[in-house]
Amino acid sequence: MRAIPALRLWLAVTVLVLLFARSGIATAADGLVVAAEARGSAVSVDIRTTVTASHAVIWSTLTDYGHLSEFIPGMQSSKITERRGPTAIVEQRGEAGFLLFSYGIDVVVASTEYHPETIEIRVLKGNLKRLDGRYQVEHGEKEGTWTVRWVGLIEPSLSIPQFLSVRLIRGSLVDQFRGMIDEIERRDVVRRTASAKGN
């Protein structure tokens, strides 16, 4: 008799996975354009959106490594341990999750800033076998707007089934990217409000 509930649970999880499964490019309800696909045991993710904010606010938020855990979902801590010219060495801990599965993240990354357009990120050590990514900030189609993009390749150290790793990494990065964009917009509202009061 115990096999029946277990079978039902397995079927339920399978149905949820199929419902959430997406391949190719998808547009989120909040304007995020997302593409994710398996590359061997790694996952390639490309996320972008258009933001109405000052470039200074966008850049300062993307590089605010010491406060990322305050607004990035799943990130429990983030602190700069060293500076090497344009490169910040950052120690980060957090968790990525999908349905009933979660994966702890404990890494040290190098974040190299090429102002005003690119921030390159790569893992130095930790429980990600590979992390090669970058933020890009480019002029949007309309004046006063910017296209913010994250593109990268991630490979966990833990062996995860491919169908699950794509959803796990895609979902986690979309949440983190959305948290970053929300914070950029919040900070820009504060900037504009303060500017209006000053006038």
Side-chain angles (χ1 to χ4, degrees), residues 78-115:
S78 179
K79 63 179 181 179
I80 299 174
T81 60
E82 188 181 349
R83 280 275 187 183
R84 303 173 186 171
T87 300
I89 308 302
V90 188
E91 186 179 276
Q92 297 180 331
R93 291 185 176 87
E95 187 175 84
F98 176 73
L99 297 180
L100 304 177
F101 185 87
S102 63
Y103 181 77
I105 306 294
D106 188 350
V107 295
V108 175
V109 301
S111 182
T112 304
E113 302 163 17
Y114 299 96
H115 189 275

Side-chain angles (χ1 to χ4, degrees), residues 49-97:
T49 194
T50 300
V51 180
T52 303
S54 74
H55 182 277
V57 168
I58 294 171
W59 192 264
S60 64
T61 307
L62 293 176
T63 58
D64 192 6
Y65 313 114
H67 294 93
L68 294 181
S69 60
E70 296 175 11
F71 54 86
I72 298 296
M75 188 169 292
Q76 297 162 357
S77 66
S78 179
K79 63 179 181 179
I80 299 174
T81 60
E82 188 181 349
R83 280 275 187 183
R84 303 173 186 171
T87 300
I89 308 302
V90 188
E91 186 179 276
Q92 297 180 331
R93 291 185 176 87
E95 187 175 84

Side-chain angles (χ1 to χ4, degrees), residues 11 17 19 27 34 45 56 66 85 87 96 101 113 120 139 144 153 162 178 197:
L11 288 172
V17 168
L19 287 173
T27 303
V34 186
V45 182
T87 300
F101 185 87
E113 302 163 17
E120 293 184 350
H139 285 285
L153 195 65
Q162 190 179 84
R178 184 179 288 116
K197 288 182 177 178

